[in-house]
Amino acid sequence: MNMDFSALPPRIGSVLASIANTSSTGTPAEGTNPVMGNALRLSDALESGAITFEDVTQLVRTLRDQAFLSRSRRLHRYVGGAALDTAQEKLRHVAEQLCANLPEPSFAAYRQLVSATRFAAVFTAHPTFALANPVYEALAQSASHDVPPETAPFFKTHRRSVHPTLEEEFTLAAQAITRARDAIDQLNAALLSTAKKTWPEEWSTLCPGPVIATSWVGYDTDGRTDIGWWDTLRLRLRMKLFQLMRLERQIAHEGVLAPELIETLQNAIDCVKAQISAVPNGATDGQAVARFAELMVNGRTTALTAASDLNALLQSAIEAAPPSAQLPLAVARAGFMAHGLGLAHTHVRLNASQIHNFVRQKLNLLDDPTNPAQRRALLNRVNDALDGVTPVPVDFGALLSDPSSAGRLMMTIAQIVKYVDSDTPVRFLIAETETGYTLLSALWIAAYFGVADRIEISPLFETEHALVKGEHIVEEALRSPAWRDYVRRMGRICFQFGYSDSGRYIGQLAASYQIERLRLHIHDLLVRWDLSDVEVVFFDTHGESIGRGAHPFRMADRLDYLSPAHVRKRFASSNIHCREETAFQGGDGYLLFGSPELATATMATIAENLFLSDQQNSDPIYDHPDFSADFFSSVIDNMKGLVADPGYAALLGAFGPALIDRTGSRPPARQSAEAATRSRITHPGQLRAIPNNAILQQLGWCANTLQGLGAAAQRHPETFETLNTSSPRFHRALDFARHALASSDDKVLKSVVCMLDPGFWLDRATEETSPKRQKAFLALMTGLEGLNLSAELHTMFRRIQADHLALREAWQHAPRTEPRIRLLHAIRIMLIERIWLLACRIPFFMPRGGFNHEMMMQHILCLDIPTVLKEMKHIFPTGTGPSELDFHEPRGPREEGIYVREHRDIFTPMSEMFELLREISVALMHDIGAFG
Ligand SMILES: C=C(OP(=O)(O)O)C(=O)O
């Protein structure tokens, strides 16, 4: 191991050196697994006192800091370097090139090119806030230096003390969006400056807006019941306030005289502030809701309901401003107009089942939409209903009394449209859409509440069915005249592709192939249904990790990967205008806008991709359609096999969930009555995609990226090899596998399987000479027999390993894990072993409230240490009763500190080891570059 441990006590170095020098052939219990071998030797060193727990802690911190530094360097490279002037120069270059390459050199042509929205950066509420806020800040700072630093700032822990609330997520999102808006302003400034130079007479009427920011935070209610309509309205109003205040700040430029504009803005700001403070805290206090309603309804005009209300005032302000203020004012107006009355546009989200529930009740449609045999009848019924729908009035009282999620959300939108922003459409995303019936039903609900022309209904394709049969879903909707009329009226049709969920069911690489295929089908359908004149929005909900579909090496590749040139060309050939939208998910995603330098560099990359990317070169992958189809369907089959394998659910459900902290306000599983009563997962679908992926990363095997690649490559070894080097598209896809392989290690996975195998502990008991330890090993064996996971885990491991070996054979130079990552895993396995051994020392206790020794052991083996320690605190109390009081009798002896030894020798070390184990998780996340 050539890692630098010079800052650590020399004894750690000697233990590590002795480990490195030991031959990989271990005892029968270790087998020939070097990761397990290292874990056991570290455990021996700790047991013998050759190293202390403090040493291990320091070692973990050192490894974690090295991972932090390498993450900050990767982030720096990811956006193409973080020098502000370089990014600004890129933005200028984009504007100049645009101007130079206009189809005809006129201001009108330039205006047309830069006014339409082409890209949205969507800030989502995904729970990827794994790091403490100061650590995120430090990461962004390190990555923002011209040359990233060599030493990491000291933090005792990189973890959060508690998971963030929705409120905290909103604050973090708003900060990132503000930096994104500043960067968008810089792009607009470059576009306006170029126009000013070229068309000095006309430029001041230009209002560019090729890139916008959008937010989900506070509005995404898919599978979560903890966000009330009052939360959504409060946060939406705050976004409005931020936007108005931003404009107020931006127009406060020296020499600007615009008293009417300033007064209108200040009145609006005061009014919105009052509205925010009146937002009720829940639905129980009808009076509070009525008071809020009064402010919203009566304040409607003062609070403004459309950005365009200020258009004329802004134009006059620009014209009257001194020359030095004209450009900043034009930039302020551009950002304001493009975003409407919100710091960012609004995306709400709901699950398809919530839409079905609502129409089932309102329209008495009792058939099952997931049953194809019943679907035709359902589609006819909802189409008839769409013909005759009459909108109902919406007021806050109706919102108060509606028990359905879909009804409440649609009414919330109705109130936003009436009182917060009437101009900017609200995107309505529907998770797990699997039929056109869902889209028509959503349209009916929107029409019923009178907002059909204000919302953009968008299916989210994420399940395997949706990806493979997506075109049928779209066609089912397009067959409806009501849907086609709606699309024409909106002038836009929207689609969303969920990369995390699709990836975990069919494999991440195959998902992007399916998504590309689906985009092409959508093109053909739009042409067939004579809808080439509507704008198409493609929103990719990928995250920052390979597991969630983000290209691991460069932002530029990430954008090319999501929106392949081949597809862009197809749409361009039919003159269909496309808008790309892409997610920046939670804490990890906000990092790309974590400082002004990073935000500007990210924006420059987006601008280059939008305006300068090379559409001409063809890619050889498209000359081999049979190879692609066969390669990816082989991946899909293989991944589906793994998902259905009970050993895979056993792997995800055993101690994996305990390795990760809760990283967001959103619960790790979709909230439902069934989920509430389930203890351990029996299918990956019971987890959400992000924790699913995060657990795999922590267990040392990125199965959702890798599974099936071996089988697929082995079917076409030569073409695989050739396209890996000659096809940029295929090479980019394999970059995911490169990064996954650098963070995955079959020996780590094998060690996990081994730890959960009763036979492993029996072997250790057999080799052990100390009767005490032998007894402990046998106790662990018995406990693990109770979990009964081992046979399934071994079968699953064989499936994974066979595919892995096939991949290594077909791909000789595929990367391998760094020793540093292996060492981290080895330390963690050692910690798990020691926690389990400590548990074997817990004295017998009488069951308390149903919690008995056997149950405790099951919790321990699943590493649910916080639950066990909470129980132990009550079962083995250390506290004393009130000792200073007078009990009116001679004082008897107090049983003080009776269980002090248990706490000192067992529970406290157990708790410390558990904390360290989770610190290792953060270190591993730094290596992957994201959570999940
Ligand atoms: C949208 C996605 O994630 P989630 O459903 O977990 O929000 C996705 O799959 O990309």
Side-chain angles (χ1 to χ4, degrees):
M1 276 173 236
N2 47 3
M3 286 163 271
D4 181 12
F5 296 121
S6 52
L8 296 177
R11 55 182 180 273
I12 305 183
S14 22
V15 168
L16 294 177
S18 83
I19 286 176
N21 293 334
T22 314
S23 96
S24 65
T25 335
T27 66
E30 291 166 17
T32 52
N33 182 344
V35 175
M36 180 58 90
N38 290 347
L40 297 185
R41 282 187 203 100
L42 279 167
S43 179
D44 289 346
L46 202 56
E47 182 77 25
S48 68
I51 52 172
T52 62
F53 180 69
E54 188 42 42
D55 292 339
V56 180
T57 306
Q58 277 198 52
L59 174 59
V60 168
R61 283 198 192 128
T62 305
L63 294 167
R64 179 203 65 189
D65 288 352
Q66 288 170 2
F68 171 95
L69 286 173
S70 96
R71 183 174 182 178
S72 81
R73 282 192 285 269
R74 272 207 317 275
L75 179 58
H76 177 89
R77 286 195 303 270
Y78 196 75
V79 294
L84 254 186
D85 46 359
T86 311
Q88 283 161 346
E89 184 47 47
K90 283 183 187 171
L91 292 174
R92 264 194 298 277
H93 179 67
V94 166
E96 276 156 17
Q97 285 300 302
L98 264 184
C99 196
N101 298 325
L102 285 174
E104 55 162 283
S106 69
F107 178 65
Y110 188 74
R111 183 205 290 274
Q112 200 191 1
L113 207 59
V114 301
S115 299
T117 304
R118 292 164 173 265
F119 185 93
V122 185
F123 292 80
T124 72
H126 284 89
T128 72
F129 302 88
L131 307 182
N133 295 341
V135 180
Y136 272 124
E137 280 159 28
L139 201 48
Q141 284 315 315
S142 299
S144 303
H145 286 116
D146 280 355
V147 180
E150 292 292 316
T151 47
F154 175 78
F155 290 100
K156 198 164 165 210
T157 175
H158 281 194
R159 294 167 56 207
R160 294 184 163 270
S161 48
V162 284
H163 69 80
T165 57
L166 179 65
E167 196 60 32
E168 188 179 352
E169 289 170 350
F170 176 80
T171 303
L172 295 168
Q175 288 164 353
I177 293 170
T178 303
R179 284 189 289 265
R181 288 287 307 271
D182 294 345
I184 290 172
D185 280 354
Q186 297 200 46
L187 167 63
N188 290 339
L191 294 170
L192 282 160
S193 303
T194 302
K196 192 175 179 193
K197 260 188 273 158
T198 322
W199 299 283
E201 301 301 318
E202 295 156 293
W203 78 275
S204 71
T205 58
L206 187 67
C207 197
V211 178
I212 56 167
T214 292
S215 172
W216 281 22
V217 186
Y219 325 133
D220 173 21
T221 53
D222 166 35
R224 61 187 292 185
T225 52
D226 58 324
I227 300 182
W229 58 261
W230 49 92
D231 293 314
T232 300
L233 274 172
R234 188 185 61 253
L235 298 177
R236 179 62 188 84
L237 281 169
R238 283 179 64 192
M239 292 300 268
K240 178 172 181 175
L241 180 65
F242 294 155
Q243 171 77 333
L244 295 172
M245 288 168 58
R246 181 177 175 86
L247 183 64
E248 188 192 33
R249 227 177 17 256
Q250 288 185 319
I251 60 172
H253 209 278
E254 209 179 317
V256 173
L257 281 177
E260 195 183 339
L261 174 60
I262 292 169
E263 194 190 335
T264 310
L265 257 182
Q266 280 168 350
N267 289 341
I269 288 170
D270 291 343
C271 186
V272 174
K273 279 184 182 163
Q275 291 173 339
I276 293 171
S277 39
V279 176
N281 283 329
T284 47
D285 184 352
Q287 292 288 349
V289 178
R291 269 196 306 280
F292 173 59
E294 186 192 344
L295 284 181
M296 293 298 283
V297 176
N298 294 342
R300 189 174 182 271
T301 312
T302 314
L304 304 176
T305 48
S308 54
D309 293 348
L310 299 184
N311 216 351
L313 290 175
L314 279 162
Q315 186 62 42
S316 319
I318 295 170
E319 280 159 15
S324 66
Q326 280 187 320
L327 188 77
L329 281 186
V331 169
R333 177 187 53 189
F336 185 73
M337 290 301 165
H339 290 86
L341 293 176
L343 191 65
H345 282 216
T346 305
H347 278 188
V348 302
R349 185 169 68 150
L350 209 60
N351 196 274
S353 59
Q354 292 164 306
I355 301 287
H356 299 166
N357 287 345
F358 187 84
V359 287
R360 185 185 312 120
Q361 282 166 13
K362 284 281 178 204
L363 296 176
N364 198 26
L365 298 180
L366 303 179
D367 289 344
D368 176 8
T370 58
N371 180 345
Q374 301 179 335
R375 200 167 308 139
R376 179 103 329 261
L378 273 178
L379 283 163
N380 289 338
R381 300 266 313 269
V382 76
N383 261 317
D384 290 346
L386 274 165
D387 270 348
V389 59
T390 317
V392 293
V394 175
D395 70 339
F396 284 98
L399 192 49
L400 199 56
S401 64
D402 195 305
S404 70
S405 318
R408 280 194 311 268
L409 186 58
M410 208 59 97
M411 281 194 258
T412 306
I413 296 174
Q415 298 306 70
I416 289 176
V417 165
K418 273 189 283 178
Y419 303 117
V420 184
D421 186 348
S422 313
D423 268 8
T424 318
V426 175
R427 183 74 50 76
F428 193 91
L429 307 166
I430 310 174
E432 300 191 307
T433 301
E434 297 206 327
T435 150
Y437 169 75
T438 310
L439 301 177
L440 300 185
S441 301
L443 181 58
W444 184 84
I445 305 173
Y448 181 71
F449 288 116
V451 288
D453 292 347
R454 302 273 25 104
I455 67 166
E456 299 170 340
I457 299 169
S458 167
L460 163 49
F461 298 113
E462 55 182 337
T463 60
E464 187 229 333
H465 175 84
L467 285 185
V468 176
K469 301 265 185 267
E471 61 268 31
H472 299 304
I473 302 174
V474 181
E475 181 140 38
E476 265 177 352
L478 286 177
R479 280 183 193 284
S480 157
W483 181 260
R484 292 198 303 277
D485 285 351
Y486 158 73
V487 168
R488 285 221 170 82
R489 277 197 313 275
M490 297 299 291
R492 186 172 295 148
I493 188 164
C494 307
F495 302 97
Q496 182 189 4
F497 305 102
Y499 274 70
S500 338
D501 273 302
S502 346
R504 75 185 170 130
Y505 292 126
I506 64 170
Q508 193 48 257
L509 272 54
S512 78
Y513 167 76
Q514 286 298 125
I515 291 171
E516 178 173 354
R517 226 189 102 263
L518 195 46
R519 284 184 175 217
L520 293 171
H521 280 303
I522 287 171
H523 166 268
D524 297 348
L525 282 169
L526 292 177
V527 171
R528 177 135 46 90
W529 286 97
D530 199 19
L531 285 166
S532 324
D533 51 343
V534 301
E535 179 186 51
V536 182
V537 176
F538 287 130
F539 170 28
D540 293 300
T541 327
H542 64 86
E544 276 48 56
S545 157
I546 45 163
R548 284 179 285 124
H551 190 277
F553 302 141
R554 291 169 69 229
M555 182 71 195
D557 281 319
R558 169 164 157 176
L559 296 169
D560 279 333
Y561 181 73
L562 291 171
S563 173
H566 181 72
V567 180
R568 289 196 196 193
K569 266 192 266 180
R570 181 77 66 86
F571 277 87
S573 71
S574 306
N575 281 326
I576 301 179
H577 183 261
C578 290
R579 180 207 286 194
E580 299 287 341
E581 300 194 349
T582 168
F584 295 89
Q585 296 191 344
D588 290 337
Y590 304 169
L591 260 184
L592 287 157
F593 295 90
S595 68
E597 292 82 0
L598 291 173
T600 316
T602 302
M603 197 51 61
T605 314
I606 292 171
E608 286 180 333
N609 182 274
L610 281 184
F611 292 117
L612 305 185
S613 82
D614 180 12
Q615 304 272 331
Q616 298 314 312
N617 293 340
S618 61
D619 188 311
I621 188 83
Y622 299 104
D623 302 332
H624 296 78
D626 294 344
F627 165 79
S628 311
D630 190 68
F631 185 88
F632 292 112
S633 62
S634 175
V635 172
I636 293 176
D637 285 348
N638 219 290
M639 186 67 205
K640 275 166 66 181
L642 181 65
V643 170
D645 189 327
Y648 190 53
L651 179 77
L652 288 166
F655 57 56
L659 300 179
I660 50 176
D661 287 316
R662 186 169 161 187
T663 52
S665 65
R666 181 171 105 176
R670 277 200 164 88
Q671 289 180 324
S672 68
E674 188 214 342
T677 52
R678 207 167 34 226
S679 55
R680 215 176 51 227
I681 66 151
T682 49
H683 187 274
Q686 292 155 3
L687 278 172
R688 290 196 77 133
I690 290 179
N692 174 118
N693 298 343
I695 292 169
L696 290 173
Q697 291 161 2
Q698 294 302 325
L699 297 175
W701 197 259
C702 298
N704 54 333
T705 307
L706 294 173
Q707 187 64 26
L709 287 183
Q714 219 170 32
R715 287 167 68 87
H716 312 268
E718 284 93 25
T719 323
F720 175 83
E721 177 86 38
T722 313
L723 291 177
N724 189 2
T725 44
S726 65
S727 156
R729 175 106 182 104
F730 195 57
H731 188 90
R732 272 190 205 108
L734 288 183
D735 282 344
F736 283 67
R738 286 183 184 89
H739 192 54
L741 286 167
S743 309
S744 300
D745 193 315
D746 54 330
K747 299 292 189 287
V748 173
L749 184 64
K750 177 75 187 173
S751 307
V752 171
V753 171
C754 214
M755 291 287 280
L756 291 162
D757 177 0
F760 169 73
W761 299 97
L762 180 62
D763 285 346
R764 291 194 67 187
T766 310
E767 285 162 19
E768 184 57 59
T769 50
S770 143
K772 246 186 171 163
R773 276 169 66 88
Q774 190 177 63
K775 213 168 135 214
F777 292 149
L778 289 172
L780 292 176
M781 178 195 80
T782 312
L784 288 165
E785 296 283 14
L787 283 187
N788 195 21
L789 300 173
S790 182
E792 288 171 349
L793 284 172
H794 278 290
T795 312
M796 179 272 319
F797 181 76
R798 288 195 292 276
R799 180 193 286 273
I800 284 185
Q801 185 64 335
D803 192 64
H804 173 219
L805 294 179
L807 183 63
R808 292 268 169 214
E809 192 189 332
W811 191 6
Q812 301 290 328
H813 301 295
R816 291 189 185 274
T817 333
E818 269 184 52
R820 180 168 52 78
I821 298 178
R822 272 188 162 196
L823 179 56
L824 275 167
H825 281 289
I827 299 171
R828 189 157 61 193
I829 286 166
M830 177 272 278
L831 290 172
I832 296 173
E833 187 231 28
R834 297 203 68 81
I835 288 174
W836 286 1
L837 288 174
L838 280 174
C840 296
R841 289 168 51 192
I842 296 175
F844 179 76
F845 57 87
M846 292 304 287
R848 178 183 174 274
F851 189 83
N852 59 23
H853 197 272
E854 191 189 333
M855 205 180 278
M856 177 206 76
M857 217 44 203
Q858 301 290 298
H859 279 282
I860 289 276
L861 292 172
C862 293
L863 289 178
D864 185 3
I865 308 303
T867 301
V868 171
L869 291 178
K870 211 160 126 202
E871 292 291 339
M872 294 298 109
K873 230 178 165 166
H874 295 292
I875 295 171
F876 299 101
T878 49
T880 53
S883 55
E884 304 311 322
L885 298 181
D886 179 4
F887 292 99
H888 306 284
E889 282 188 274
R891 187 182 162 90
R894 301 293 193 257
E895 290 289 11
E896 280 173 1
I898 187 168
Y899 294 122
V900 161
R901 207 169 29 163
E902 281 72 11
H903 281 268
R904 188 195 56 218
D905 296 348
I906 303 174
F907 304 135
T908 304
M910 192 181 262
S911 159
E912 287 170 353
M913 286 180 191
F914 184 69
E915 299 298 315
L916 190 59
L917 173 157
R918 287 214 173 158
E919 196 70 33
I920 293 178
S921 305
V922 181
L924 291 168
M925 279 170 217
H926 285 326
D927 276 308
I928 290 268
F931 175 83

